Amino acid sequence: MRYEVLPARTTEEKVLAHVPRDVVVTVTASPVKGLEPTLALTERLAAHGFRVVPHVPARLLRDDTHLKDVAERLRATGVDDVFVPAGDADPPAGPYRAALPVLRRLSELGAPFARTGITGYPESHPFLPDDITVQAMWDKRAHATYIVSNLCFDPRVLGDWIARIRRRGVTLPVHVGVAGPVQRAKLLAMATKIGVGESTRFLTRHAAWFARFAAPGGYTPHKLLSRAAPALAAPSAGVAGLHLFTFNQIAETERWRRALLDRLG
């Protein structure tokens, strides 16, 4: 289980109060605030004994020197796992516009991290055709060790996507991205921003479905996972675990996890 958190003012306090040390914490990066809040929070959480995975978006790196400095700073903190998306900064802070050149450069620097994650898109990317995103995973496979899938609200789409990338020869283990038990309005607002294409468009075009989704009990991560379970549990799927998008509703996410474990016995 991985919890994705945002580097806000109260995030450290919430993590310390609610997250056990055996849960991996991933820290996003803001195209507005830059990498520093991510790196600083990563250092503080690592000092508290957490296994932390910082996001290092390509578009937030100023140049090769900046990338090398970031890698050395994280290694000094004890970080051995990073997540490298392209990022949303527009324009980019430097020459990197996509994740692949950063991944290649990290390999040239001696692969300083034992684990390196890349993004997968079960739903359509807002700017890239699906075939390109699948091809991108294939291109990155030599430099990465796992995939984190972006948000998806449709268990059928999620299962079909996993089967599709396996047919294309992408064998990296997948951490399935799932929205935690967050407030509906907050989830929809964030989903629109982070590139959940078809799900968001579907919600806007189908009023009845939207009403069910927005109503209390309309979406729960347990319901999604239950319906997707046959596809996710198949040995051929290569699912390594869950990646919970907490949207900083950390206490609620941890209560849900504990309740789920209790239910499973």
Side-chain angles (χ1 to χ4, degrees):
M1 187 74 75
R2 298 156 54 101
Y3 285 176
E4 180 173 300
V5 303
L6 314 173
R9 181 176 53 83
T10 61
T11 303
E12 180 182 3
E13 176 185 344
K14 290 179 178 180
V15 171
L16 290 176
H18 302 291
V19 181
R21 296 299 192 278
D22 60 343
V23 173
V24 175
V25 179
T26 80
V27 184
T28 66
S30 164
V32 176
K33 297 181 179 180
L35 266 178
E36 182 55 35
T38 299
L39 300 177
L41 179 58
T42 295
E43 290 170 334
R44 295 196 301 272
L45 292 177
H48 288 300
F50 287 95
R51 182 181 167 193
V52 191
V53 181
H55 292 211
V56 182
R59 286 171 167 257
L60 289 182
L61 295 165
R62 295 188 297 273
D63 49 34
D64 280 359
T65 300
H66 187 202
L67 172 58
K68 185 176 180 181
D69 289 345
V70 167
E72 290 176 351
R73 180 175 172 180
L74 292 173
R75 289 300 298 144
T77 305
V79 169
D80 66 353
D81 189 344
V82 294
F83 179 66
V84 183
D88 300 319
D90 188 17
Y96 296 119
R97 292 182 170 271
L100 182 57
V102 174
L103 295 167
R104 286 172 173 159
R105 184 61 182 140
L106 286 173
S107 294
E108 292 168 357
L109 291 173
F113 304 103
R115 290 169 50 81
T116 304
I118 59 175
T119 307
Y121 294 95
E123 302 279 8
S124 297
H125 187 283
F127 306 117
L128 298 174
D130 290 344
D131 284 343
I132 291 180
T133 63
V134 175
Q135 182 64 45
M137 284 185 287
W138 172 263
D139 294 340
K140 296 171 187 174
R141 74 195 188 286
H143 308 282
T145 58
Y146 65 92
I147 297 166
V148 176
S149 67
N150 209 335
L151 275 177
C152 180
F153 302 125
D154 187 327
R156 180 189 57 79
V157 169
L158 182 57
D160 289 349
W161 172 76
I162 290 175
R164 182 183 178 204
I165 66 172
R166 297 313 185 208
R167 287 196 302 270
R168 287 286 298 272
V170 177
T171 60
L172 296 176
V174 173
H175 293 265
V176 176
V178 178
V182 300
Q183 296 173 2
R184 309 313 189 271
K186 188 169 188 177
L187 189 151
L188 287 171
M190 292 298 295
T192 302
K193 293 178 182 178
I194 66 175
V196 187
E198 293 303 326
S199 287
T200 304
R201 286 194 287 273
F202 186 84
L203 292 175
T204 59
R205 293 174 183 173
H206 296 76
W209 203 97
F210 180 90
R212 291 197 299 272
F213 180 86
Y219 165 82
T220 67
H222 180 261
K223 185 182 298 183
L224 172 67
L225 291 171
S226 295
R227 293 173 178 173
L232 302 185
S236 60
V239 172
L242 301 180
H243 182 100
L244 268 291
F245 294 89
T246 71
F247 303 107
N248 277 16
Q249 294 191 328
I250 296 168
E252 295 86 345
T253 301
E254 177 59 13
R255 282 197 296 270
W256 171 81
R257 185 184 76 95
R258 288 182 181 273
L260 178 60
L261 290 174
D262 289 343
R263 185 182 301 128
L264 295 173

